[in-house]
Amino acid sequence: MRARTTLAVLAAAVLGLTAGAVPAAAADYERLLNGTFDSGSADPWWAGSGTTARVTDGEFCTAVTGGTANGYDALSGQNGVPFEAGQPYTLTFDAHATTSQQISAVAGEAVSPYRQISRTDLTVTPVKQHFTVTFTSTLDFPNAGNGQLAFWFGGQAADNTVCLDNISLVGGVIPPGGLPPTSGIRVNQESYVPGLPKRATVISDATTPQTWTLKNSAGTAVATGQTRPRGADAASGEKVHEIDFSAYETQGTGYTLSVGAETSFPFAIAADGLKQLRYDSLAFFYHQRSGIAIDAQYAGAAYARPAGHVNVAPNQGDDHVPCRADLNCGYTLDVRGGWYDAGDHGKYVVNGGIAAWQLLDEYERASRVGDASALGDGKLAIPERANGVPDILDEARWEVDFLLSMQVPDGAPDAGMVHHKIHDAQWTALPTRPDQDSQPRRLSAPSTAATLNMAAVAAQASRLWRTIDPAYSAKLLAAAEKAYAAAKANPNKLADPNDGTGGGTYSDGTVTDEFYWAAAELFATTGKSGYRGDVTGSALYRGASFTTHGFDWASTGALGDITLALVPTDLPAADVSAIKTAITTTADSHLAQLATMGYPAPYRTADGTYEWGSNGLVANNGVVLALAYDFTKQDKYRDGAFAAVDYLLGRNPANYSYVSGHGDQPVQNVHHRFWAHELDASLPTAPPGALSGGPNSGLQDPTAARLLAGCAPQRCFVDDIQAYSVNEVAINWNSALAWLTNWTAEKSPSGADTTAPTAPGTPAVSAVSATGATLTWPAAADPESGVASYDVVRVDGSARTVLATVTGTSATLTGLTASTAYNVVVVARNGTGLSSPDSPAARFTTLAAGGCSVTYAANTWNSGFTATVNLTNTGTTAWSAWKLKFSFPGNQKVTQGWSATWAQSGADVTATSLPWNGSVAPGRSVAIGFNGSYTGSNANPAAFTVNGAACG
């Protein structure tokens, strides 16, 4: 899931150069990656415009087009190189060229203003030479920052090829490293649940117990005890102690643990955090929807965006996607909808399959052995929330329908099979909002694994929709049975492991597990003997798929067994019992492992390393522990499942909550094309509830490789958007988190809290306009359940009107009446719904209406037109947001708008500001526009209002 950025640097001074010399003594740290090119890959080296580079015979060779004016007109290099001001560096490399020419070795800045540290001009010849350059840096660039080493090849008359090898840059005194300095005490930063174990980990070389202290939000000590030394911990590379404060049960927020001078991040003792996390983790999927606009009323204004890949420019659309050119399948498919798989814009059937299955199973399991009421209609913020169908099923259907759309049509070769994936022809740049993706979209070949994924999920969905929508249920089952038959006729169509341009390969050399899974789902839905025979005749029958490594998109046999353990069939009771025993046996193995770990995580590989997406496997192994509790009601399994959640929420060596929006140091900069605030301040960080892929010993991206060299397995993590091998998100990881956190929310006892919060402090009023104002107030206190929200209430005699409800201590009021006096108070509400007394009142009067001007210009053609609208704040107070209204004099229609949220009802049109252009200072303007259609005449609107005020 990578994007490569090519940037240039400009000119500066020449420093020392020797040809054929022995490298000078230097500091120990190597600052470049892949300087020998021994793997055959050039990553992370890039080639600029006017050049083509590849690794040939173990060298990085750049073909340069002649005729450019400047050296930097043709170049290659590596970004993210760290430099420290005042420190010496030694650059060494081998070089030769087809024809002798001058090149330049340049160290400096990769972005404007392109400041330079060193430029050394030298001549390369057809004979390979070894070069050494020494310099002292005058600039500071941190690890994975904007530092760059580049080689300039331009300014030559003729074409040429320059080859480089054994490139090394040694120097500096700051060692590589990606984890910020943090407390040596690691806790579940979200919350511990009353009545369940509460444990934390302390880094300490001490061999004897140390005193720990638990303090409440006021800093008062409320409990103390002794740590338990555990010694060296292999997975973290640390020496650790354990704190067990399970005996303390008073609910509240803002607790901290201290040992000596170390203090943990704050945390709560309450059930509410996990109950909210179950919904935040499911909200992830609405954010990831393709083919539909993400609406602010469901996702929040910061995350609203136009529909992606619906054939509106610059998108090329998902409504008529052809096969990859080399496949020549002879048809196109309408594959709009579904979920974007991860941080890119690809949609992959095998990953979509397990993710959709897990949401459906979350509901099915709750319906049969748990509590499905928390997953019903109206529980999620999605457009379908009031249609009478459980919201989790509505969300899953968005993906299930996409899976069906990937099926090869009747009459075509491989009819009934399912295409493996659909994504961009080339990797999309980072960042790129989905609606701004201009890449052509292509279908990859059908595969047996994808076909069986669709068959399994469609069969499962058919079972769940049988009483909700019988016609849809029948459609699903027909597609599932067709797909299963096609897979049996084509059992060895494996995804191409080399099909990784523009999207991940998701190749899988073994599909025995997919056959078992699909047969189990079809049997559980239909009871047909053919499917029954395929289940009982499989080598995977009776739980053989359960391992301590865990299940994932490439290992799906366990999914079939989970269904057979939950859904009544005519299988022998002894065989169903054997499946449940396989689950509990695997869970016992997890518990045995957890007992030996400093940072307990149910995760294991043969060599102790951590893999790409390790957090997803931690969550799935937590699912196994949860199911073991469902089947046995033994508390040890419940406690193990909660321990997995503790790890994900901060009790880990990285000291991050791996779930965005939960905890005091949550991940923010996940690898994502839209949640890319780290690269573009106008874009958001990750919304609450997104699970980072987590530690990965392979360090399979340049940023992770540069920052984390030599990391212990559980410490191989950095919260950086470029570190895609450790910090990407994916639907199958979030589906595992959603399943597990729904289960832990269901199993979280809530103690009774009968004490209301204290009153908030006196609100301060600012940014008063004709239609709005901003209020900020000192927080209320609630040590038991915590303050969940605040209501801003207008008090007018005995009448009380809620103007806003927020979770923080400030609110921006909108929609107020101009020239009107307001008397407002703030009321706090805690986690159990109890309300505080009123805060002291604040009084203010809105400004008079007016203070705006609007210009409207239309460029008309045939039956269409483009309108440009400029709004100017002619008043004396800044707008914090704006809403433009006007009416068309004829039958004009807005067909596509930009720089605003456009809506039309009859002739009336409304344009509402976006987060990035709502603030307009006095005297400043904002430009918006739209494309429209019309018949007859296209006269301009006669009148406009902004925020309810008439404009000139």
Side-chain angles (χ1 to χ4, degrees):
M1 312 296 177
R2 68 193 68 181
R4 184 178 295 117
T5 304
T6 302
L7 299 166
V9 290
L10 300 181
V14 177
L15 293 181
L17 165 70
T18 59
V22 177
D28 292 334
Y29 300 123
E30 173 61 61
R31 300 305 186 177
L32 298 176
L33 300 175
N34 190 28
T36 64
F37 310 101
D38 289 344
S39 68
S41 169
D43 282 345
W45 296 90
W46 46 259
S49 60
T51 66
T52 303
R54 66 185 63 188
V55 175
T56 304
D57 296 328
E59 297 180 322
F60 183 52
C61 295
T62 304
V64 182
T65 301
T68 57
N70 304 296
Y72 53 77
D73 289 335
L75 74 169
S76 64
Q78 183 173 134
N79 293 337
V81 180
F83 292 102
E84 301 161 48
Q87 292 300 317
Y89 291 84
T90 300
L91 170 67
T92 60
F93 59 95
D94 299 331
H96 64 92
T98 303
T99 303
S100 295
Q101 73 158 83
Q102 177 180 296
I103 70 172
S104 300
V106 184
E109 187 171 22
V111 298
S112 180
Y114 305 110
R115 295 171 297 167
Q116 210 170 78
I117 296 168
S118 161
R119 170 180 162 180
T120 302
D121 299 331
L122 54 99
T123 299
V124 293
T125 69
V127 177
K128 181 186 294 187
Q129 299 178 83
H130 181 76
F131 296 95
T132 299
V133 176
T134 60
F135 61 89
T136 297
S137 181
T138 56
L139 299 173
D140 273 312
F141 292 112
N143 284 306
N146 288 327
Q148 179 189 75
L149 179 72
F151 292 91
W152 296 359
F153 307 128
Q156 306 298 314
D159 295 353
N160 201 6
T161 297
V162 182
C163 295
L164 305 171
D165 197 8
N166 300 316
I167 313 172
S168 172
L169 179 68
V170 176
V173 295
I174 300 175
L179 294 176
T182 56
S183 166
I185 303 175
R186 279 64 189 271
V187 298
N188 176 333
Q189 298 173 21
E190 169 59 64
S191 55
Y192 292 92
V193 175
L196 296 179
K198 306 173 192 70
R199 299 188 177 103
T201 300
V202 186
I203 302 174
S204 176
D205 291 335
T207 57
T208 58
Q210 305 293 297
T211 299
W212 60 261
T213 302
L214 176 68
K215 297 179 182 179
N216 64 15
S217 59
T220 303
V222 295
T224 189
Q226 295 290 298
T227 65
R228 180 166 74 97
R230 300 186 64 98
D233 179 59
S236 66
E238 299 169 349
K239 293 181 179 179
V240 299
H241 290 217
E242 181 179 87
I243 296 173
D244 189 335
F245 61 107
S246 302
Y248 189 82
E249 294 287 15
T250 302
Q251 296 193 51
T253 60
Y255 286 106
T256 57
L257 283 166
S258 296
V259 176
E262 297 286 353
T263 300
S264 73
F265 283 119
F267 56 87
I269 299 177
D272 297 335
L274 290 181
K275 293 181 185 296
Q276 181 58 45
L277 180 52
R278 89 165 123 204
Y279 297 123
D280 287 346
S281 60
L282 287 169
F284 172 90
F285 295 93
Y286 176 67
H287 286 280
Q288 291 290 101
R289 286 191 188 186
S290 175
I292 187 175
I294 303 305
D295 198 309
Q297 69 174 305
Y298 307 116
Y303 298 99
R305 59 171 174 81
H309 300 97
V310 291
N311 207 29
V312 173
N315 282 167
Q316 299 196 32
D318 282 356
D319 55 341
H320 54 274
V321 180
C323 292
R324 220 175 52 220
D326 59 303
L327 300 176
N328 193 28
C329 62
Y331 56 83
T332 64
L333 292 182
D334 183 346
V335 291
R336 287 173 291 181
W339 299 319
Y340 297 120
D341 176 71
D344 65 323
H345 299 149
K347 298 186 288 190
Y348 309 85
V349 169
V350 294
N351 222 32
I354 188 173
W357 180 91
Q358 224 157 6
L359 263 61
L360 295 172
D361 183 73
E362 179 180 335
Y363 178 79
E364 186 164 43
R365 174 253 155 216
S367 299
R368 294 186 180 278
V369 298
D371 177 13
S373 62
L375 302 172
D377 191 30
K379 296 296 185 179
L380 300 182
I382 58 175
E384 303 85 357
R385 66 182 305 172
N387 65 355
V389 177
D391 286 343
I392 192 170
L393 298 187
D394 284 322
E395 188 57 69
R397 181 171 180 167
W398 194 261
E399 178 70 8
V400 172
D401 285 345
F402 160 73
L403 298 179
L404 264 62
S405 74
M406 293 285 281
Q407 193 163 30
V408 176
D410 291 343
D414 297 326
M417 295 286 285
V418 174
H419 287 273
H420 197 70
K421 56 181 182 168
I422 175 261
H423 55 65
D424 292 341
Q426 300 291 329
W427 285 103
T428 319
L430 180 74
T432 302
R433 204 172 63 184
D435 61 293
Q436 295 300 307
D437 179 9
S438 61
Q439 289 276 347
R441 307 280 275 176
R442 296 292 182 262
L443 293 164
S444 288
S447 73
T448 305
T451 304
L452 291 166
N453 265 261
M454 190 274 266
V457 175
Q460 174 198 34
S462 174
R463 186 166 68 241
L464 295 174
W465 263 273
R466 187 174 288 150
T467 58
I468 296 171
D469 186 341
Y472 182 57
S473 173
K475 173 185 175 181
L476 290 167
L477 184 57
E481 295 198 292
K482 179 189 291 186
Y484 188 74
K488 293 193 79 171
N490 299 275
N492 296 306
K493 283 188 175 290
L494 304 181
D496 181 0
N498 297 312
D499 182 16
T501 301
T505 61
Y506 284 100
S507 56
D508 183 2
T510 302
V511 294
T512 306
D513 50 329
E514 282 85 3
F515 270 110
Y516 180 70
W517 172 34
E521 297 296 347
L522 282 160
F523 170 59
T525 298
T526 68
K528 290 182 179 180
S529 59
Y531 301 130
R532 188 185 197 278
D534 287 350
V535 168
T536 59
S538 171
L540 301 180
Y541 185 45
R542 293 166 51 102
S545 296
F546 286 96
T547 68
T548 54
H549 181 262
F551 59 86
D552 61 10
W553 66 268
S555 302
T556 58
L559 310 185
D561 275 326
I562 292 172
T563 290
L564 297 176
L566 289 170
V567 180
T569 65
D570 67 356
L571 290 176
D575 290 356
V576 175
S577 179
I579 294 171
K580 294 180 179 180
T581 297
I583 291 172
T584 56
T585 298
T586 305
D588 284 331
S589 182
H590 288 318
L591 294 179
Q593 179 206 15
L594 296 182
T596 68
M597 302 182 74
Y599 300 91
Y603 178 83
R604 197 176 317 175
T605 58
D607 60 1
T609 59
Y610 272 50
E611 303 163 295
W612 196 317
S614 63
N615 281 345
L617 283 162
V618 169
N620 277 333
N621 290 332
V623 169
V624 172
L625 288 159
L627 288 168
Y629 178 82
D630 282 343
F631 298 143
T632 69
K633 298 300 184 288
Q634 294 185 43
D635 289 349
K636 64 179 182 178
Y637 299 123
R638 177 201 61 194
D639 296 349
F642 276 87
V645 174
D646 287 347
Y647 172 84
L648 296 175
L649 290 174
R651 190 188 174 193
N652 57 64
N655 211 11
Y656 273 95
S657 168
Y658 289 124
V659 182
S660 58
H662 287 264
D664 266 53
Q665 185 166 269
V667 293
Q668 299 183 77
N669 303 310
V670 300
H671 181 81
H672 197 274
R673 290 326 191 255
F674 177 42
W675 307 333
H677 185 79
E678 189 176 11
L679 299 179
D680 182 341
S682 70
L683 297 175
T685 58
L691 177 64
S692 167
N696 174 12
S697 304
L699 307 182
Q700 292 155 283
D701 67 78
T703 297
R706 192 186 306 283
L707 295 178
L708 300 170
C711 56
Q714 283 187 340
R715 286 185 63 87
C716 294
F717 176 79
V718 61
D719 183 29
D720 190 295
I721 193 171
Q722 302 282 12
Y724 50 83
S725 69
V726 300
N727 204 31
E728 191 164 20
V729 295
I731 52 177
N732 62 312
W733 304 335
N734 244 78
S735 63
L737 177 70
W739 196 111
L740 181 59
T741 55
N742 176 70
W743 187 92
T744 53
E746 181 186 289
K747 303 304 179 189
S748 296
S750 297
D753 178 3
T754 59
T755 304
T758 62
T762 304
V765 183
S766 61
V768 178
S769 66
T771 59
T774 297
L775 272 69
T776 304
W777 55 90
D782 191 292
E784 293 173 302
S785 299
V787 175
S789 62
Y790 294 90
D791 289 338
V792 179
V793 182
R794 182 184 186 188
V795 180
D796 187 5
S798 61
R800 295 172 65 91
T801 304
V802 176
L803 300 179
T805 299
V806 296
T807 56
T809 56
S810 66
T812 299
L813 307 180
T814 59
L816 305 184
T817 303
S819 302
T820 302
Y822 283 83
N823 180 56
V824 299
V825 298
V826 179
V827 178
R829 189 163 44 249
N830 69 9
T832 60
L834 298 175
S835 296
S836 74
D838 289 354
S839 73
R843 296 173 176 83
F844 63 92
T845 301
T846 52
L847 302 180
C852 58
S853 67
V854 174
T855 61
Y856 178 103
N859 179 23
T860 303
W861 70 91
N862 296 330
S863 60
F865 66 100
T866 297
T868 301
V869 187
N870 283 281
L871 290 65
T872 301
N873 181 353
T874 60
T876 59
T877 303
W879 299 340
S880 60
W882 49 263
K883 180 179 288 186
L884 169 72
K885 292 186 176 181
F886 61 84
S887 298
F888 283 125
N891 58 1
Q892 297 101 320
K893 299 291 183 184
V894 175
T895 58
Q896 178 195 6
W898 52 87
S899 299
T901 300
W902 292 86
Q904 182 172 352
S905 176
D908 299 327
V909 177
T910 301
T912 306
S913 60
L914 299 173
W916 57 268
N917 67 358
S919 178
V920 184
R924 303 304 293 270
S925 301
V926 61
I928 61 177
F930 63 89
N931 291 329
S933 63
Y934 73 97
T935 56
S937 62
N938 184 28
N940 292 349
F944 303 85
T945 65
V946 172
N947 295 336
C951 299

